[in-house]
């Protein structure tokens, strides 16, 4: 290890240890999120400042309005990132995956877009996408196009209109998102799908067009109260089965269910398991939870005084005692890492078995692997020659991020003058050794 890497490794070890102690001191670890350690995430939205109790419940973040184009750029070329920064930084600092919502949508468009030429419109859409991606490079998921069936972008002709595929403007949007945000998982998002086989089939046509071009990584279904409140679990299963035929992971992206305490509880009890246990569902995001701060009345799960409604208490108990499935059947692993020489090789082990070896580039890159194996996971450095070092950002399992520096097992870090000589908390590997990321 050269001296600068040694100091970086030592510095990070000290910083990370004190950060972890700080969290313990403030009680931040006292209440783990509902789906912590599960193979799927259970997330929620953040509007404005992150609520103090967010991390008591949720382990994925979507911005409610702050990521929409009219919120970011209300005046042409004057970007307003403040609230999006707050949501993104909160997600990053807690190790929660962040899902941008949204790039191309026919609602909450900036008012000035309508007055421009087609060429200027396309330029401005790409500019928004490019600037977003530069500012938030660690974004895990993006709702690239929102509500294509119900609320298509007013400027869609400028992006290619229907064209030869019938949906060229969507293809264009995903191409730009892929180009500028190459490491994010790109999603489409729509409402009224879980309850309507006709809309579902029209949605699948768009998904297949994108899939055949390698442009889409998952399918979002909003699942708001107006679709969910009176929906039979058998219909949920049937429609999820149909959507899963695309071969892409499904993200329940904006779930809410309404009612007085008893009605809402019954609805969660009856319908949530059909979503959570479906093997095609990779994550669930609820659309608000605090009374007075949800877009529709009686969908909240925490009252103004901070107490839980019965549906939330049930949800917590249910998810904590239910692993879900699909996660278990098919785990999507991302190891985000870099080397310093371009010759470093790392091996992913699951339950002691070496399942994949990658040669790392010099910039942070997502290395992906899908497995049905279970057991302890490690990322092991197997090529320790002079001037070689590995920095691991995180390992994620079905989108649920485990930061390297938060792990207590690191036998490859150089600390206190020797290999494995410290607390172990570090995202660096210099010596032959591994970072343990817990059970898959
Ligand atoms: O910011 C202004 C504020 O300055 C003004 O005083 C106030 C009074 O009208 O309005 C505020 O803007 C409101 C904004 O929410 C922020 O609170 C808008 O009027 C209101 O229309 C907007 O509603 C949002 C809605 O999207 C707009 O389409 C909801 O908060 C948001 O939850 C909702 O989210 C959508 C998803 O993006 C897509 N799927 C459906 C979902 C529910 O409609």
């Amino acid at each position: 290890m050269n001296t600068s890497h040694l100091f970086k490794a030592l510095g990070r070890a000290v910083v990370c240890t004190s950060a972890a102690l700080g969290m313990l001191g403030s009680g931040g670890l006292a209440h783990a999120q509902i789906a912590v350690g599960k193979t799927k995430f259970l997330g929620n939205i953040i509007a404005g400042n992150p609520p103090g109790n967010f991390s008591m419940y949720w382990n994925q973040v979507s911005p409610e309005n702050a990521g929409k184009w009219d919120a970011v750029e209300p005046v042409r070329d004057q970007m307003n990132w403040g609230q999006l920064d707050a949501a993104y930084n909160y997600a990053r600092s807690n190790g929660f995956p962040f899902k941008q919502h949204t790039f191309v949508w026919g609602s909450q468009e900036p008012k000035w877009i309508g007055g421009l030429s087609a060429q200027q419109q396309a330029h401005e859409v790409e500019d928004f996408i490019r600037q977003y991606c530069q500012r938030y490079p660690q974004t895990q998921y993006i709702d690239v196009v929102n509500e294509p069936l119900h609320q298509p972008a007013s400027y869609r002709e400028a992006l290619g209109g229907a064209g030869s595929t019938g949906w060229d403007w969507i293809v264009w949007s995903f191409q730009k998102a892929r180009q500028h945000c190459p490491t994010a998982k790109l999603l489409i998002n729509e409402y009224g799908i879980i309850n309507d086989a006709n809309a579902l089939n029209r949605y699948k046509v768009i998904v297949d067009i994108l899939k055949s071009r390698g442009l889409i990584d998952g399918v979002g279904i909003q699942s708001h109260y107006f679709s969910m409140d009176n929906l039979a679990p058998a219909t949920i299963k049937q429609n999820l089965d149909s959507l899963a035929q695309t071969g892409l992971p499904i993200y329940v992206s904006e779930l809410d269910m309404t009612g007085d305490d008893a009605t809402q509880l019954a609805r969660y009890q009856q319908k949530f398991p059909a979503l959570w246990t479906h093997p095609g569902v990779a994550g669930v995001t609820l659309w608000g939870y605090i009374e007075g701060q949800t877009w529709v009345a009686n969908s909240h799960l925490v009252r103004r005084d901070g107490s839980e409604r019965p549906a939330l208490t049930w949800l917590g108990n249910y998810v904590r005692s239910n692993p879900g499935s699909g996660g278990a059947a098919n785990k999507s692993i991302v190891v985000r890492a870099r080397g310093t020489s371009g010759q470093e090789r790392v091996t992913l082990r699951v339950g002691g078995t070496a399942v994949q070896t990658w040669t790392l580039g010099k910039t942070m890159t997502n290395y992906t692997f899908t497995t049905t194996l279970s057991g302890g996971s490690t990322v092991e450095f197997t090529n320790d020659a002079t001037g070689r070092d590995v920095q691991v950002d995180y390992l994620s399992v079905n989108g649920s991020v485990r930061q390297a520096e938060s792990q207590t097992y690191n036998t490859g870090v150089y600390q206190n003058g020797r290999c494995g000589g410290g607390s172990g908390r570090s995202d660096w590997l210099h010596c032959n050794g591994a970072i343990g990321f817990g059970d898959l």
Side-chain angles (χ1 to χ4, degrees):
M1 173 185 274
N2 65 37
T3 325
S4 75
H5 288 139
L6 170 60
F7 281 119
K8 262 191 252 167
L10 286 170
R12 291 197 72 96
V14 171
V15 168
C16 294
T17 304
S18 47
L21 288 171
M23 281 176 73
L24 279 170
S26 68
L29 296 181
H31 302 278
Q33 303 80 45
I34 290 173
V36 70
K38 303 293 175 186
T39 53
K40 342 188 164 196
F41 62 71
L42 182 63
N44 217 311
I45 49 174
I46 288 181
N49 291 329
N53 59 8
F54 191 96
S55 66
M56 279 176 60
Y57 298 111
W58 321 113
N59 64 351
Q60 177 268 331
V61 173
S62 296
E64 183 178 17
N65 288 304
K68 298 171 182 175
W69 195 9
D70 75 336
V72 174
E73 198 175 0
V75 177
R76 190 179 178 190
D77 295 335
Q78 289 183 23
M79 311 310 271
N80 174 13
W81 300 110
Q83 289 209 343
L84 200 53
D85 283 353
Y88 177 84
N89 291 336
Y90 177 82
R92 290 291 302 155
S93 62
N94 282 279
F96 302 153
F98 184 77
K99 187 200 287 183
Q100 154 65 353
H101 176 81
T102 172
F103 283 163
V104 175
W105 184 29
S107 277
Q108 293 178 278
E109 299 174 345
K111 291 187 182 59
W112 48 265
I113 191 72
L116 305 185
S117 70
Q119 200 185 5
Q120 287 171 324
Q121 286 181 332
H123 172 82
E124 290 293 341
V125 178
E126 180 167 5
D127 206 40
F128 169 43
I129 294 174
R130 186 180 51 73
Q131 289 195 54
Y132 175 92
C133 297
Q134 274 175 0
R135 193 172 182 93
Y136 307 111
Q138 311 280 358
T139 300
Q140 278 89 351
Y141 305 98
I142 299 169
D143 290 340
V144 177
V145 172
N146 195 37
E147 301 175 4
L149 299 176
H150 291 97
Q151 200 68 253
S154 66
Y155 45 83
R156 59 192 177 281
E157 286 306 318
L159 313 185
S164 59
T165 63
W167 298 98
D168 277 15
W169 64 277
I170 299 182
V171 172
W172 183 96
S173 303
F174 275 77
Q175 281 169 338
K176 295 302 177 191
R178 192 66 104 202
Q179 179 188 336
H180 295 295
C181 273
T183 61
K185 284 196 187 339
L186 304 186
L187 316 178
I188 194 163
N189 196 42
E190 184 55 276
Y191 69 80
I193 300 298
I194 188 102
N195 59 317
D196 180 346
N198 288 327
L200 172 57
N201 285 332
R202 289 193 291 140
Y203 198 36
K204 282 168 76 173
V205 170
I206 305 176
V207 171
D208 285 342
I209 290 167
L210 293 167
K211 194 181 173 210
S212 67
R213 289 164 176 73
L215 291 171
I216 187 168
D217 305 303
V219 183
I221 50 171
Q222 294 185 10
S223 313
H224 282 296
Y225 75 99
F226 52 82
S227 305
M228 287 296 295
D229 273 357
N230 300 309
L231 192 60
T235 311
I236 296 178
K237 180 180 180 322
Q238 199 177 340
N239 287 334
L240 289 176
D241 286 348
S242 168
L243 197 52
Q245 286 167 0
T246 61
L248 292 170
I250 299 167
Y251 294 88
V252 177
S253 55
E254 302 182 18
L255 179 65
D256 43 42
M257 288 186 255
T258 63
D260 59 25
D261 281 1
T263 307
Q264 188 194 40
L265 170 65
R267 286 177 167 151
Y268 267 88
Q269 287 174 323
Q270 188 194 22
K271 299 162 219 293
F272 186 83
L275 300 172
W276 188 254
T277 62
H278 195 282
V281 171
V284 176
T285 307
L286 276 67
W287 204 252
Y289 68 103
I290 300 172
E291 185 173 13
Q293 297 179 36
T294 59
W295 77 293
V296 60
N298 293 323
S299 65
H300 61 284
L301 292 163
V302 171
R303 300 189 189 94
R304 279 196 180 79
D305 65 6
S307 61
E308 295 182 5
R309 294 183 80 190
L312 179 56
T313 305
W314 174 85
L315 182 66
N317 290 334
Y318 172 79
V319 170
R320 286 190 187 98
S321 60
N322 192 313
S325 64
N330 205 355
K331 292 158 208 156
S332 170
I333 311 297
V334 177
V335 174
R336 185 166 176 78
R338 69 177 179 112
T340 49
S341 73
Q343 293 172 295
E344 289 86 354
R345 285 153 57 85
V346 293
T347 297
L348 173 68
R349 286 182 185 272
V350 180
T353 306
V355 292
Q356 181 80 39
T357 295
W358 296 286
T359 302
L360 305 180
K362 290 198 265 186
T363 55
M364 274 295 173
T365 303
N366 287 4
Y367 298 90
T368 60
F369 184 73
T370 302
T371 182
T372 54
L373 291 173
S374 295
S377 59
T378 57
V379 173
E380 184 179 327
F381 188 25
T382 53
N383 188 1
D384 189 6
T386 306
R388 293 183 186 174
D389 286 290
V390 166
Q391 186 181 23
V392 182
D393 184 355
Y394 59 75
L395 178 147
S396 74
V397 183
N398 289 343
S400 180
V401 172
R402 304 173 187 184
Q403 297 289 346
E405 66 269 30
S406 304
Q407 310 305 313
T408 51
Y409 180 89
N410 181 336
T411 55
V413 66
Y414 191 89
Q415 286 172 334
N416 297 326
R418 63 188 176 88
C419 292
S423 67
R425 286 182 193 267
S426 174
D427 49 0
W428 285 94
L429 288 166
H430 168 70
C431 317
N432 282 323
I435 302 175
F437 287 92
D439 283 354
L440 296 189

